[in-house]
Every structure is written in C-alpha cells, then in structure tokens.
Amino acid sequence: MSSTTKRVAVIGGGILGVSTAVHLLREGASVTLLTERGLASEATGRSLSWLNSAGERSTPYHLLRLAGIDRYRTLFAADPHREWLQFGGGLMWNAAGQREDTEARHAYEKSVGYDSVLLAPEDVAAATPGIDAGAIPENAIFNPGEGWVSLPALVEFLMEEFHDRGGKLVVNAGKASVVTDGGRAVGVETAAGETYDADAVLVACGAATPAVVAPLGVEIPNGSPVSMLVVTKPVDHDVRAVMNTPRAAVRPNPGGTFALDHDWYEEHITGHADGTFSIPDDVVQELADEASKLIAGNPELKPASWKIGYKPIPGDGEPVFGELGQVPGCFVAFTHSGATLGLIAGELLAGEILTGNRHPMLATFRPGRFS
C-alpha cells in the first residue's frame, strides 16, 4: 500500500458492511472490518432475502432496488448454478375479499414498468411450479424478475475476496464505537479498548446503527421490529418462486430446505433481560404448517432452526446512506431490504467514501434529513 492509501474501518459484519468493505478493497483502500460477534450473526443471518421491488414505494427507492437486483443478476450470470442465488420469480396474494387490492397493486406495478402478471389460481401452475393453487383464494401476482439469495452464503463468498485482497477482519470486537478528533471520525475503538485508526469509518450495524451514532450527537429514528426466520428440514419440492402470502412468507433455501417468515407471530415473542428472545415451539410449528399449505402436496414441514432478533428498519421506512453532516468522515448504512440493496449500496458507498463525491442515487437517503 502506498502512503496515500485511504484507511477505512467498517463496523458491522453483515451484508452491507461486508459488501462495502470488498468494494473498498477493489478500489485500493486499506480496510479493517470489525464485527460484534461473528460474521452474519445478526439480521443478515436471519433475512428472508427476497430480491424485489414489488408494490409501491418512492421512486428513488424503487430505482435503487432495481439497481440492486441488477447487480445480483450480474453475479448470477457468472455462475447460474450457485445454489444460494436464484431467480425463480416472486408470487404474492392477499386474503379472501381483497381482490381489488391485488388488482390495484398489479396495475401500479405495470404503471412503473415492473414485470407483473395477474393470475387466476388455475393459471399459477403454468407460470411457476410447486404451488398449491387451492391456497390462493381469488387471484395472485407473479413477478418473473424477482429472486432470492442466502445472505450467509453470499457473505462467505465475498469474504473470500476480502481476504484475498488483504482486508483485516476483527471478530468478537464487542460493541465498537467511533473515535473522533476535532469533530471528525478518525477510527474505531472496540469494547476491550483496542483502537484502529482510520481516515473514514462506516457504521453498518443493522438495527443497532442509531445507537452507535447517538453518542456522536446524531439522531436516526429507529423503527426496527423484532422478527424471526425459520429454516426447515429438507423436503422434496419443486418450488422456485418466493411466496408472500397472508399467513406465511416462504422462499426456497439451499439443501432442499425452506426459509419462512411473517409478522403475525410477533406478539408471541418474549424479550429477556440479557437481550435475547424466545418464542413457543408450537408457534414456530404453526408457521411451518401455514407454509405447508402453500406447497403442492402439502409436505410436512419441520423447523430445523430459528433465529429471532431485530429487523433493521429506519423510522421513516426509507434507507439511510451516506456521510454524517455533524461528523465528517463517518458514514452510515441502515436500511430495510438490506439483501436487495446489499451489493449496490456497498458499491455506491465505497465510491463516496473514497472520492468524496456524492452519488445522485443516494440523494434522498442522506442521514441529514433527520436533523
């Protein structure tokens, strides 16, 4: 490394931190990546990671998500046989009595050029395999361009390049903090008191991001709910699409398993004094039973594991990306849809950190909007 190499410290071993770190290394930066425990130990390890921009959202957010999907398509094209990244489309439907809502969503998606097909239940089999059409009460939307990724596998893939390019990884760093001098970020301090000097710092700690920057005098509203991801035991199935339905969100997962999510069970989650969460086993099984109803043949689904924690969502629902106006040299990455945005956000943030040039696609997502 030359004497002009920019040193960057990244706090957070999830997809946003790892992706930005790799993009920084590609551009010649010296990178230290610190994570509280292991890699992908928080939200990245329990994300449904459905790659999409379905439904209605702000135009800048929609365009950023489309760019995010594009980067995954590039990765997919390099090796379509990766079991952890696939594009089998997305299928959604509403509860009975909401036909008009589904039709309105489809009409909106068509109006913005999003690939959207409105289907009667009997037409679903021709669009995507492995679905029990009897579970669809009225109509469904199929979005052929959507996909899914197993984020822990993606992090492992990216970390191979991270190490090959000379990145420094610090695991089990505890709750790290940003070090400032004269109001500017100049490094990171671990829970044990170890310090790492840097020319710039990225805070990408998922739902903990607002708490990490709060001591700097920066307020970022936090709307992160507690959620759960269940991974089932392997079963024989033909499902390729991600399903978003009234009682279960389901996606294929490597090894013939399924990943399951939703929100109706949140009232059954108990938080404990040590920061952990628990949920009754029968509620987990109920989610698996709901998922079984969606799959052709209704195979018996048995939960193999489940993880509970905060799902990162900023207070206004929009991503928070970029440099803190109050603390030059300190950048943040805090967003819902971390999977869809993982690759593109890392690319754009790395560019801003190294050049100082603000990317126009991030203009509406600056943390300064909360000041």
Side-chain angles (χ1 to χ4, degrees):
M1 291 292 180
S2 71
S3 59
T4 58
T5 297
K6 193 157 191 173
R7 303 166 302 165
V8 184
V10 177
I11 308 175
I15 183 56
L16 292 172
V18 170
S19 172
T20 307
V22 170
H23 281 94
L24 286 164
L25 289 165
R26 289 176 183 172
E27 298 302 318
S30 172
V31 179
T32 301
L33 175 66
L34 305 98
T35 184
E36 182 176 355
R37 291 190 291 276
L39 293 164
S41 60
E42 290 295 333
T44 290
R46 44 181 163 76
S47 169
L48 188 68
S49 46
W50 165 33
L51 307 176
N52 79 94
S53 189
E56 188 171 351
R57 53 183 48 83
S58 71
T59 297
Y61 194 10
H62 176 62
L63 294 176
L64 188 62
R65 290 171 74 116
L66 291 180
I69 296 170
D70 172 77
R71 297 305 189 271
Y72 278 104
R73 286 205 165 276
T74 301
L75 183 60
F76 175 76
D79 183 359
H81 302 293
R82 290 189 175 110
E83 191 182 22
W84 47 266
L85 173 61
Q86 291 294 311
F87 281 90
L91 186 70
M92 75 78 58
W93 63 84
N94 286 308
Q98 296 182 311
R99 174 188 294 273
E100 292 182 356
D101 291 341
T102 308
E103 292 173 347
R105 176 178 173 133
H106 166 67
Y108 177 82
E109 290 177 350
K110 295 289 286 185
S111 75
V112 296
Y114 196 68
D115 199 355
S116 180
V117 183
L118 188 65
L119 299 172
E122 61 269 21
D123 297 327
V124 168
T128 186
I131 311 299
D132 186 340
I136 305 170
E138 294 171 341
N139 52 8
I141 295 172
F142 182 58
N143 301 113
E146 296 177 353
W148 61 270
V149 62
S150 171
L151 286 181
L154 175 60
V155 166
E156 183 179 355
F157 171 79
L158 291 173
M159 286 304 294
E160 291 181 10
E161 182 177 354
F162 176 90
H163 291 300
D164 288 345
R165 292 185 178 275
K168 179 176 182 177
L169 174 63
V170 181
V171 296
N172 299 314
K175 295 187 181 299
S177 57
V178 180
V179 178
T180 61
D181 183 10
R184 182 176 183 83
V186 295
V188 171
E189 182 176 3
T190 70
E194 297 175 314
T195 58
Y196 297 87
D197 295 337
D199 303 303
V201 175
L202 171 67
V203 179
C205 303
T209 297
V212 174
V213 300
L216 305 175
V218 178
E219 181 180 354
I220 298 177
N222 195 346
S224 303
V226 177
S227 67
M228 172 177 68
L229 186 79
V230 177
V231 175
T232 71
K233 295 179 180 179
V235 293
D236 291 330
H237 70 86
D238 297 319
V239 177
R240 297 186 66 242
V242 180
M243 286 182 279
N244 182 9
T245 80
R247 290 285 293 176
V250 181
R251 71 156 166 84
N253 196 53
T257 64
F258 285 105
L260 316 177
D261 186 13
H262 213 272
D263 58 10
W264 58 260
Y265 55 73
E266 290 176 6
E267 62 182 317
H268 299 284
I269 295 175
T270 300
H272 303 287
D274 63 356
T276 62
F277 299 92
S278 62
I279 191 170
D281 290 359
D282 61 335
V283 176
V284 179
Q285 184 60 55
E286 184 179 355
L287 177 61
D289 293 342
E290 293 288 353
S292 175
K293 298 173 185 177
L294 314 178
I295 300 165
N298 307 127
E300 183 180 17
L301 296 182
K302 289 295 183 182
S305 64
W306 54 94
K307 297 179 180 179
I308 306 174
Y310 289 103
K311 178 186 293 185
I313 300 181
D316 64 358
E318 294 276 296
V320 185
F321 291 134
E323 190 171 21
L324 300 177
Q326 305 97 313
V327 189
C330 184
F331 295 74
V332 295
F334 174 38
T335 185
H336 185 39
S337 65
T340 300
L341 300 183
L343 298 180
I344 188 64
E347 175 186 327
L348 301 187
L349 283 168
E352 291 198 352
I353 292 168
L354 293 180
T355 68
N357 298 325
R358 294 187 165 199
H359 197 284
M361 290 192 78
L362 302 184
T364 65
F365 306 129
R366 304 290 172 194
R369 70 182 186 266
F370 302 116
S371 298

